[in-house]
Amino acid sequence: MDLVLLLLMLLVSQPVSGKHKLKCQLNLEHQDGKKSWSYYKPGDHIISVVTTATQLSRTKLPFNRAPSSQSHSSLSTDKSRILGFIFAIQVVNKNLQFLLNLTLGYNIHDKNMNAIATSEALLDMLSTGEANVPNYSCGRKDNLLALHDGAARDISIQMSTLGGPYKVPQVSDKIVSEALSEKNQFPFFYRIFPKLGFHYPAIVQMLLHFRWTLIGLFASDTENGEHFMKTLSPVLFRNGICVVISQLFSMIKPTASLRNAIAKWRQVNVFVNFMEYDFLLDRILPFHIELKRLPGPIVGKVWITTFLGTYKLKQSKYLRYIHSIWTFAFQEKKRPKDYYFQPDIFMEDEFEDHSFLCSISKHVFSVKGRRRCTQKAPLESKQKRNSIWIRSYHHLYSVIKTLAKVLKAAYSSRSRRGKKEGEEKLATPRLQPWQFHPFLEKNEFCNLSWRKLYLDHSGDVTADLNIMMLVVLSKKNVIKEHLGSFARQSLTINQDALSQLNLLNVVGYFLFFFAKALGPISSGPSLVMVTIDQGEQESLPLSKCVDNCRPGFFKQAREGKPICCYDCVPCPEGTISTQKDTEKCTKCPDDQYPTENRVQCIPKVITFLSYEEDLGIILISFALLFFLTTGLTLIIFLKYLETPMVKANNRDLSYILLVSLMLCFLSPFFFIGQPRKATCLLRQTVFSIVFSVAVSSVLAKTITVVLAFLATKPGNRVRRWLGKGLANSIILFCSAGQIIICSIWLGVSPPYPDSNFHTQPGVIILQCKEGSVTMFYIVLGYMGFLAAICFTVAFLARNLPGAFNETKLITFSMLVFCSVWFSFLPTYLSTKGKSMVAVQVFSILTSSVGLLCCIFFPKCYIIILRPDLNTKEHLMIKVGN
C-alpha cells in the first residue's frame, strides 16, 4: 500500500524552479485582484517578509457610496518597500563576498493592516504545501532563514507567538514596544532599530537644559500613547518638571476642550507630543482654536514631538501661535562604498507585469486564497532610479546584508566542524532556523547599519540623534535649524543655531513694530514672540510657574501646588547658593562664611586679643603702670622698713602681698597674644595661685590684727599664737589648697588652644578652652571663698580701737575685690570671643588695683606726705584712750 502511494506521488509531481513541488488537483476559481498577495522567489534559504504595502489614504470619503466601496477608496498601494526588499536580496545574491555558493530567496507577504491577514501570511510561510496547514509538507522544502517584519506592536507579538514554536528568527525594522525586548518571552526577536521611547531621555535633558519646568504632555489614545504617558510622566516628576496639562487625543471622536487647562496655565509654553498615526496639523488645530479665544498677547509655543524625521510644513494659519517644532533624526555614519548599491543595477518603475508570473489558486482545505507572484526575471533596466529612493530603503539592504553574513558565518562554522570530523563537503541538509541564533545574538545589525546605532549598558539597541527645529516666521516659510545632538546619552546644543534664532527674533521684533506703525497687520501667522529675562533677549520662550530663584535663595514648595510652583526663601545663616533654582543651600566650610547676599563663601578673619590692637595696648599699658606702681610701693616699704607704719601689721606680710600683686599685674601677659599651648596651661593656673597667695596674705593680715588686739587683754592665751609662724602657715595652707586644685585640673583635663568657628559670624576666634569648665569654676570658687572669709573677719574687726586700724582698709579692699569678681561671672558668660579675655584681664587688674589702693595707698600717703603721723606715739594714742 505504501509503495502505491509513493508511486502516485511521483507521477503527479514535477520540477518547479529546481525544486519538486507537488501539484495537487485544486479547485481553481477567480479571486479579486485586491485580495492579499505575496511575491515569491526560490533560493537556498528563504527570507519571509511580512510588511504593509496597503496604506491609508487622506482623501475625504463621500457619503453617497456603500461602506464596502468606501473602504477600498480609503486604501492605496505603495510597492516601493517591496522593491527595496527584492532589490536588496538581488544585490546580495550577485555579490560573491556575502554568499559563496548559496542564494537567498524571499517570500514577501502583505499583512493588509490587520491581524487576520497577518495570521494567514504566517500560516502560508510555515506551510510548505498549497494549503495553509503548518507542519504539513507537500513536496516543497523552503529552508527558512528569518522572518522580517515591519509591523506594530500587536502584530509583531502575534508573529512572535506563531513563529516562536518553530524558533524562527524574527527581525524587525520598526521602532516597536518595549514589551518585545523581554528575552524570556520573545527569545527569537531581534531589532535593528531602538525600542519605543529610546529618545525620551533626550526630551528630559532638553527640558532641563532650557529650564522648562512647566509643560503640557499629549499623546494619541492608543496603547503606545498610554505607554508614553506612563513612562515619561514619572521621569519628568523625578527631575522636577511639572506636567500641568495632560491629555490623550482620540483617533475616532472629537478631542475634549483644552480651554480651561490652557486658560489656567497660560505660562505653559512647551508642549511635548507623542506623534503616531495622526498628522501634525490635526494635533495643532485644537490648540489653535483655544489659544485664539484667549485675551491678550500669546507667547509662541514650542512643540517637542517624538517624531523621528522632519516635517515638511508650509506656512499655515494654524501655525500662528507656534514658535517652533522640534523633532529628532538619526545620525548617519560616513557613507560606505556600497551605500548606493552597485552602479549597474537599477529598478524598473513598472516591474510586476514584466518580472513576475502571478497565479491565483485555492486549495479545497484552505481558508483564504492568495495571489502568488513568482519572480521570473531580474529587476534590471537601463533607466536609472533616483538615488534618494534607494537611500530611503537602505536599512533594508543592511538587514539583508547582515542576514547574509550570518548565513555565511553559520555555514563556515559548520564546515570547520565537518573538517574536524573528517567530512569533505558541506552536509546536504540545510541549516534550520534555530541554528542561526548564536550568530544573530552578536547583533551585527548595529555595525552594518548606516545609522549610528549602538548597544547601551543593558544590551538594548539605541542611537545617536540630531535635534531638528522648524522655526515659524511671519509671512515666510518655515525654516529648519539643526539645534543640537543627543549622542551617547549626552545632550549637546548648537549655540550658533540659538544665536541665529535670537537674531531672527530681534529682526521680527522690529518688523512687528514697524508694521504696527504703518497699519493693521494682516491676518497671517504671528511673529516669533520675544521674551525678556534679566535684561537679556532670549531666543526661546520661558515655560515655568515662577521666575528663577536668584543665587542666595532656595526653593520652598507651596502647599497644594505643583513642585514647580515654589517660593524663593533666603538661605539660612552660614549657607550659600551659587546657582538659580537651588533645592537647598550649601553650608560654608568652617573656615569660611557667606557674603551678605549669600552667594559666595569667603575666608573668615582670624582674631584674638593681640598686642597690636587698641584694646590690647590699653590693657597692657595699665598692667605695666600698676606693676610699676606696685614696685614703687614695695621700694617705699623697703626704704622705710623701720618706721612704725611699715612695722605695724607684720611688714613681711606686706612684702608678700606686694610681690603677689606685682605678679597679678603681670599675669595679663598670659591672656594677651595668640594662644599657645604653654600660655593656655599657665594663664589660669598662675592667675589663680598668685591671687590665692594675695588673698591669703590679706587674710593673714586680718587675723594678725584681730589676734593682736585680743592679746592686749590680761590673761588671754592668744599672745602665744602671735608671730611670723601663724601668718606663714595661713599663707601656705590657703595657697596649697589652690595649688592642689590646679594640679588636679592640669592632670585631668588641662586647658588647650582652640579655634572657635561659630561664635561670631565671619570670625575665627583663637582662644584657650578651659578643658574642664567645672575645674575652672572650682578655682574661682575657692578664691572667692578665701575672699569671703577675709571680708567677714575684717568686717567684724573694723571697730577695733587704734589710730590706724588696718582692718577698715582690708574690709573696703575685700568689698571691692568681691564686687569685681561677683560681677565678673555674668559678664564673662555673656561675652564672646576676645571680649571674654578682655573681661577677665580687666577683672584681674581692677581687683588687684583695689587691693593696692585700699591697703597701701593710705600708708604711702602717711609715709611720704605725712611723716609726722608715722610715729609709735601717734599709733598708740587711741589705744591708750
Side-chain angles (χ1 to χ4, degrees), residues 231-247:
T231 302
L232 191 58
S233 296
V235 178
L236 294 174
F237 179 79
R238 288 195 298 269
N239 286 274
I241 301 172
C242 298
V243 180
V244 295
I245 305 177
S246 178
Q247 184 169 340

Side-chain angles (χ1 to χ4, degrees), residues 86 248 394 561:
I86 298 173
L248 292 174
H394 195 278
K561 296 291 184 179

Side-chain angles (χ1 to χ4, degrees), residues 552-554 569-577 584-587 594 598:
F553 294 79
F554 71 99
V569 181
C571 289
E573 185 178 354
T575 60
I576 63 167
S577 63
K584 60 181 180 180
C585 298
T586 305
K587 186 178 180 181
R598 298 179 182 177

Side-chain angles (χ1 to χ4, degrees), residues 743-776:
S743 300
I744 296 174
W745 185 8
L746 294 178
V748 175
S749 180
Y752 59 92
D754 186 37
S755 300
N756 190 334
F757 295 94
H758 309 292
T759 301
Q760 292 181 346
V763 175
I764 301 177
I765 302 173
L766 300 183
Q767 61 184 10
C768 287
K769 295 288 287 187
E770 285 79 6
S772 175
V773 180
T774 303
M775 297 301 298
F776 172 70

Side-chain angles (χ1 to χ4, degrees), residues 455-634:
L455 299 180
D456 61 10
H457 62 279
S458 60
D460 290 330
V461 181
T462 187
D464 293 338
L465 298 172
N466 289 324
I467 303 173
M468 311 304 297
M469 179 173 61
L470 300 175
V471 185
V472 180
L473 297 178
S474 177
K475 297 182 181 180
K476 294 182 181 180
N477 293 330
V478 179
I479 63 171
K480 182 172 71 173
E481 291 286 344
H482 179 207
L483 183 64
S485 61
F486 184 72
R488 304 291 167 168
Q489 303 301 307
S490 178
L491 179 68
T492 303
I493 298 300
N494 185 2
Q495 297 298 330
D496 293 337
L498 288 179
S499 301
Q500 294 176 6
L501 179 60
N502 193 16
L503 178 61
L504 291 173
N505 274 303
V506 174
V507 173
Y509 186 74
F510 285 107
L511 288 176
F512 174 78
F513 283 100
F514 180 73
K516 187 175 181 180
L518 293 178
I521 302 176
S522 60
S523 59
S526 65
L527 294 167
V528 179
M529 298 298 293
V530 179
T531 58
I532 308 298
D533 182 22
Q534 297 181 358
E536 296 183 0
Q537 287 186 336
E538 299 288 345
S539 56
L540 297 172
L542 298 175
S543 186
K544 54 179 61 181
C545 183
V546 293
D547 291 335
N548 293 328
C549 287
R550 302 192 309 272
F553 294 79
F554 71 99
K555 298 191 300 184
Q556 188 177 67
R558 297 178 182 174
E559 186 176 357
K561 296 291 184 179
I563 60 173
C564 301
C565 299
Y566 48 82
D567 296 319
C568 295
V569 181
C571 289
E573 185 178 354
T575 60
I576 63 167
S577 63
T578 58
Q579 297 179 349
K580 298 180 180 178
D581 289 342
T582 303
E583 295 287 345
K584 60 181 180 180
C585 298
T586 305
K587 186 178 180 181
C588 288
D590 289 341
D591 59 344
Q592 297 181 359
Y593 73 102
T595 56
E596 185 176 356
N597 55 2
R598 298 179 182 177
V599 298
Q600 184 182 4
C601 291
I602 57 178
K604 290 182 178 180
V605 178
I606 298 176
T607 181
F608 54 90
L609 187 59
S610 65
Y611 297 102
E612 289 80 10
E613 59 181 303
D614 296 339
L615 182 59
I617 293 173
I618 292 173
L619 293 176
I620 290 300
S621 300
F622 276 106
L624 291 175
L625 175 63
F626 294 137
F627 171 78
L628 295 175
T629 303
T630 307
L632 180 61
T633 303
L634 179 60

Side-chain angles (χ1 to χ4, degrees), residues 196-217:
L196 183 67
F198 78 98
H199 55 317
Y200 294 170
I203 297 177
V204 176
Q205 290 193 30
M206 285 165 50
L207 296 174
L208 293 175
H209 178 82
F210 294 108
R211 299 183 181 272
W212 289 329
T213 57
L214 207 67
I215 67 167
L217 205 62

Side-chain angles (χ1 to χ4, degrees), residues 1 43 46 93 108 181 305 452 580 664 704 730 752 783 814 849 873:
M1 187 64 181
I46 300 296
N93 283 333
I108 304 175
S181 298
T305 70
K452 289 186 177 180
K580 298 180 180 178
C664 288
T704 301
I730 294 173
Y752 59 92
M783 189 172 62
M814 285 295 103
V849 170
E873 293 76 10

